Amino acid sequence: MAYLVLARKHRPKNFSEMVGQEHVVQALANALGTQRLHHAYLFTGTRGVGKTTVSRILAKSLNCQGPDGTGGITATPCGVCQACRDIDSGRFVDYTELDAASNRGVDEVQSLLEQAVYKPVQGRFKVFMIDEVHMLSNTAFNAMLKTLEEPPEYLKFVLATTDPQKVPVTVLSRCLQFNLRPMAPETILEHLTRVMATEAVPAEPQALRLLARAARGSMRDALSLTDQAIAYGNGELVEGGVRQMLGSVDRGHVFRLIDALARGDGKTVVEISEGLRRDGLSAASTLEEMTAVLQAMAVLQAVPARAAAAETGDSEAAETARLAAEMAPEETQLLYSLCLHGRAELGLAPDEYAALTMVLLRPLAFKPGDAQLAAGSAEKKTLNEPKRPPAAAVSAPVIAPSMPPAPAPAAEPPPWDEEEFAAAADVESPSAPPGPRLPVVDAPKARPAAPIDAQAPAKVQAMPLRVQGTAGQRDMPQAQHAASAPIEPSEEGDFWFATVTRMVAQELIGALARELALQSQLVGRDEDQWLLRIERESLGQAGSRDKLQGALAALGHSVKIAIEIGAVSDSPARRNKLAAEARQRAAEEAIHNDPLVQSMMRDFDARIVPGSLRPV
C-alpha cells in the first residue's frame, strides 16, 4: 500500500478531533443538535487551518445514517456508515467539491447549478463545496446568486476562501460566515506530540517545538514539515537535524546575543556575528528568532506572573525569563524595534552579514554605559565648548544708543560687588542637563529706598546691554541697505518710471522683459541709444533686450538699448516698493489713530495682530 502523508492520514474525521477551532466547532455542533441549519456556510482563514476538513465533517453530519442505518442529523457522525465512508474517500455522489481556482468561469458554475434541480441520490442533503470561492469571476458570482439565496431544502452550500475581502458583499450577505483562526504554536506542538506517539516515531520536544514555530499557524504545514523532518532524520526527530533542515538559527546564539547586548559587550556581539557567517546561518532567521525572544521577554516584563507560570521543563522559557529580568523594559522595546526594522535592511546591503552586524551594534549606540563611559562621553561632548573666562573677567559690553544721551543722574546706586557677582556666576543647578551653561546671576539684595522727591524729574539710568554680535550685519548685502534708502528723484528716473509704467499698463512687455525694465536704471539717453544699468547679469539676455526695444518702439522710441552691470539706486521696482511701504504705513497709522480702535484697545485690552493690516 502506498504511503499516506501525515496531513491526510491524520485529518480529523469528526468535530471532537479538530484542534484550535473550538469557536467554530461549538457553533456548528449546537446548530446541528437543535436542527437550526443554514442553507449556506462560508469558512474563511489562512491555509491549513481546517476549512475543507470542517466542510467534509459537516457533510457527514448532515448525511450520517448511523451504524444501524437509522441515524439522523447529528454533530457526531459515526464514520462507519456508507455515507461517512464515501465522503471520507471522496466518492459520495451527493457531495461535490469544486475548485474555483481552476473552474472560475460562468459555464462551470452553471453546470454545477444544473445538478441542484435533482434530489439527493443516496444521502439526505446535497452539499456543494466550492473551495477558493474568491477566484470566481463576477459573472460566475452573479449566476449563482439566486440559487444561493433560495436553494431547495435538500441543498446546502459550503464556501471556503483564504481571501474573504474579494468575495462580493452580495454573496457574504447570503452566507453564515465562520473565521478559522491560525493556530498557536503550543496547540500545534500538542497535536504533533500526539501524532508522533501514534506513529511511534522518536522525537525530541525541542525538535517538535521548532516545527510548530515554523508552521506559522498552519496545521497542514506542521504535518508536512514533520514528514520532511522524519525523512531527513531517517525515522527520528532530533533538534540538530530539524534545525539544520529548517535553516533556523539556534536559540543559543540568540540568547548569547541578547545577553551581550544587555551587558553592552560589543566584542562578543561581533564574534557571534562572525560565527554565524562561518556556519552559514541565515541573517534574516537570526533577526526573526531575536524578535520572537524579545517579544516573549516584553510579555514577561509587562506581566511578571507569566514568568512563574512558564513551563519548567522548557530551558528556553527559563532563559527567556532570566534575560527579561536582566534587561530593562525600554531596552527590550528598542531592541525589538531595531531587529524588526533591520530585516528590511538586509537586502539593501551588499553583504547581509555586514548588515546584520550593523543592526546588532546599533542598540549599543543608544545604550547608556557605566560611569566611566558616561564621563568620557561627557568629556567628548564638551571638547568644542568655549571656555568661560574667569569670573573676575566677566563683563557686559555697553553699547551706546543712537539717541542723544540722557542727563546724568544726581545719585547713582552703588554697583554690584564683583566678588558677589563672580560667586553667583559660578553657581550651577545640580539638576541641569550636561552641556554649555550660562552664568546664573541672583537678583541683588533689596536696598533701602531713597526718598522720592515729587518735584524732581524722572531720571533714566543707562543699563548695559548684551548683543548677539554684528557678524550678520556685516554679511548683509549692500543691496538691502540701498533698498531701504530713499530715492533722490532725477529727470532720467522720472522719465524711465513713467515709460515703464505705460508699457506695463498696456501689456507691451511680459515675463523677463518686464523684469528687465522694472529692475533697471536709466543712466543716459540720446536720440538713437539708451543706456540701462542692472545689478544681475541674468536679466540682460538678448531676447529680453530685443522685446524691450520692440515695446519702446511701439511707444514711439525707436532706440537701441545698451546694458551695463553696476549698482542700481533708482529703478521702477524700488519706487513701487517705497510707494507700497508708504501706503502700508499710512494704513497702519489710520487704524491706530481711529477712535473706535483706540477705545477697544483701552476698554477691552484688544490687540492688533501684527501683519494683518493691508492697505486698500
Side-chain angles (χ1 to χ4, degrees):
M1 180 178 178
Y3 174 72
L4 193 63
V5 298
L6 295 178
R8 297 179 58 188
K9 182 178 181 180
H10 293 275
R11 183 191 292 271
K13 300 297 190 296
N14 50 60
F15 288 128
S16 61
E17 294 180 3
M18 289 199 64
V19 294
Q21 308 297 342
E22 289 78 8
H23 62 294
V24 177
V25 170
Q26 181 178 353
L28 293 177
N30 293 340
L32 292 169
T34 58
Q35 305 293 309
R36 299 178 64 89
L37 301 176
H38 203 271
H39 62 269
Y41 297 88
L42 175 63
F43 298 112
T44 65
T46 185
R47 75 275 180 270
V49 293
K51 298 184 296 296
T52 305
T53 299
V54 172
S55 173
R56 293 181 180 178
I57 296 175
L58 179 61
K60 290 193 296 183
S61 299
L62 294 173
N63 293 286
C64 180
Q65 300 172 358
D68 55 357
T70 60
I73 299 175
T74 177
T76 56
C78 64
V80 297
C81 66
Q82 187 66 30
C84 290
R85 287 187 284 109
D86 288 348
I87 291 175
D88 286 336
S89 59
R91 58 175 182 267
F92 190 62
V93 66
D94 294 322
Y95 177 71
T96 305
E97 288 190 4
L98 178 69
D99 179 20
S102 55
N103 302 276
R104 58 189 309 266
V106 65
D107 295 334
E108 290 83 356
V109 173
Q110 187 175 359
S111 63
L112 176 67
L113 296 178
E114 288 176 355
Q115 306 175 21
V117 299
Y118 302 104
K119 289 187 176 182
V121 177
Q122 296 180 355
R124 193 176 295 111
F125 291 93
K126 272 183 175 290
V127 180
F128 290 167
M129 195 276 180
I130 305 179
D131 197 10
E132 299 299 337
V133 68
H134 67 276
M135 298 292 291
L136 290 178
S137 62
N138 291 332
T139 54
F141 275 122
N142 294 332
M144 65 182 294
L145 283 180
K146 187 60 179 177
T147 307
L148 184 63
E149 182 178 6
E150 296 179 355
E153 60 181 6
Y154 52 81
L155 178 61
K156 303 294 181 184
F157 280 94
V158 179
L159 311 179
T161 178
T162 56
D163 196 355
Q165 288 79 12
K166 295 182 179 179
V167 179
V169 180
T170 52
V171 175
L172 295 177
S173 64
R174 290 167 167 81
C175 300
L176 201 63
Q177 185 172 348
F178 294 93
N179 182 26
L180 280 72
R181 305 164 185 164
M183 302 180 193
E186 294 77 10
T187 303
I188 299 177
L189 176 61
E190 294 176 1
H191 187 66
L192 290 181
T193 304
R194 290 194 297 268
V195 170
M196 292 299 98
T198 304
E199 295 291 328
V201 176
E204 295 182 359
Q206 190 60 30
L208 295 179
R209 188 172 288 107
L210 290 174
L211 294 172
R213 283 201 298 263
R216 299 184 181 277
S218 172
M219 186 63 73
R220 183 173 61 229
D221 289 2
L223 293 173
S224 300
L225 288 173
T226 303
D227 259 328
Q228 182 180 356
I230 292 174
Y232 186 87
N234 195 18
E236 60 180 3
L237 296 179
V238 184
E239 178 186 358
V242 172
R243 191 180 299 279
Q244 188 172 1
M245 181 198 76
L246 296 176
S248 58
V249 178
D250 186 1
R251 282 284 177 93
H253 298 300
V254 174
F255 290 138
R256 289 193 294 121
L257 276 174
I258 297 178
D259 183 65
L261 292 172
R263 293 182 286 103
D265 188 358
K267 179 182 178 181
T268 303
V269 171
V270 175
E271 291 176 353
I272 297 175
S273 177
E274 293 298 328
L276 296 175
R277 181 197 294 268
R278 289 192 303 269
D279 297 340
L281 299 178
S282 172
S285 178
T286 302
L287 294 178
E288 182 179 352
E289 292 292 333
M290 286 188 66
T291 54
V293 174
L294 290 168
Q295 185 267 342
M297 291 171 53
V299 172
L300 293 179
Q301 291 170 348
V303 187
R306 294 285 295 271
E311 185 180 354
T312 56
D314 188 1
S315 59
E316 292 186 0
E319 184 69 12
T320 302
R322 183 187 69 83
L323 292 175
E326 292 184 358
M327 182 174 287
E330 57 272 14
E331 294 183 17
T332 303
Q333 295 291 338
L334 175 62
L335 183 57
Y336 176 84
S337 179
L338 294 175
C339 293
L340 191 65
H341 292 86
R343 294 180 59 186
E345 300 178 6
L346 297 180
L348 302 177
D351 183 4
E352 68 171 2
Y353 293 101
L356 173 64
T357 304
M358 289 299 298
V359 172
L360 295 177
L361 292 179
R362 191 171 300 156
L364 299 181
F366 300 95
K367 180 179 177 60
D370 53 10
Q372 182 177 2
L373 180 60
S377 61
E379 183 179 354
K380 292 179 180 179
K381 290 180 181 179
T382 56
L383 286 178
N384 297 328
E385 295 180 6
K387 296 182 179 181
R388 286 187 297 172
V394 175
S395 62
V398 178
I399 299 180
S402 58
M403 63 181 67
E412 189 171 312
W416 293 352
D417 185 76
E418 291 185 358
E419 297 180 359
E420 191 176 305
F421 178 82
D426 291 336
V427 174
E428 295 180 356
S429 174
S431 60
R437 295 181 176 86
L438 296 176
V440 180
V441 182
D442 294 331
K445 299 179 181 180
R447 305 179 186 274
I452 300 176
D453 187 1
Q455 303 294 333
K459 297 179 175 59
V460 180
Q461 179 180 354
M463 297 297 293
L465 302 176
R466 186 182 298 273
V467 297
Q468 181 72 20
T470 59
Q473 298 177 3
R474 291 193 300 267
D475 298 337
M476 185 179 300
Q478 297 180 359
Q480 297 183 6
H481 293 285
S484 61
I487 297 176
E488 296 182 1
S490 62
E491 181 181 356
E492 301 295 342
D494 296 341
F495 172 77
W496 182 240
F497 178 77
T499 304
V500 173
T501 303
R502 288 179 58 194
M503 289 189 293
V504 173
Q506 298 179 16
E507 297 183 355
L508 298 177
I509 53 176
L512 296 178
R514 182 177 63 247
E515 287 300 315
L516 172 61
L518 291 174
Q519 301 292 341
S520 60
Q521 177 180 356
L522 181 60
V523 179
R525 57 191 172 113
D526 53 21
E527 295 181 357
D528 57 349
Q529 184 174 0
W530 292 2
L531 178 61
L532 298 180
R533 180 181 298 166
I534 57 176
E535 291 183 344
R536 291 179 295 172
E537 186 177 358
S538 58
L539 292 174
Q541 298 180 2
S544 303
R545 185 171 60 250
D546 295 340
K547 292 180 181 179
L548 184 57
Q549 289 179 171
L552 290 173
L555 293 180
H557 305 289
S558 299
V559 295
K560 291 185 179 180
I561 296 177
I563 295 178
E564 67 176 10
I565 308 300
V568 176
S569 59
D570 184 6
S571 65
R574 288 197 56 208
R575 293 197 176 202
N576 292 335
K577 180 180 179 181
L578 292 177
E581 292 177 353
R583 291 194 303 270
Q584 179 69 25
R585 287 194 300 270
E588 293 178 356
E589 292 176 359
I591 292 296
H592 282 283
N593 296 332
D594 187 86
L596 178 60
V597 175
Q598 291 182 355
S599 63
M600 294 178 65
M601 296 175 65
R602 180 180 62 254
D603 300 337
F604 302 104
D605 197 20
R607 295 290 184 272
I608 298 177
V609 178
S612 61
L613 298 180
R614 293 291 184 271
V616 179

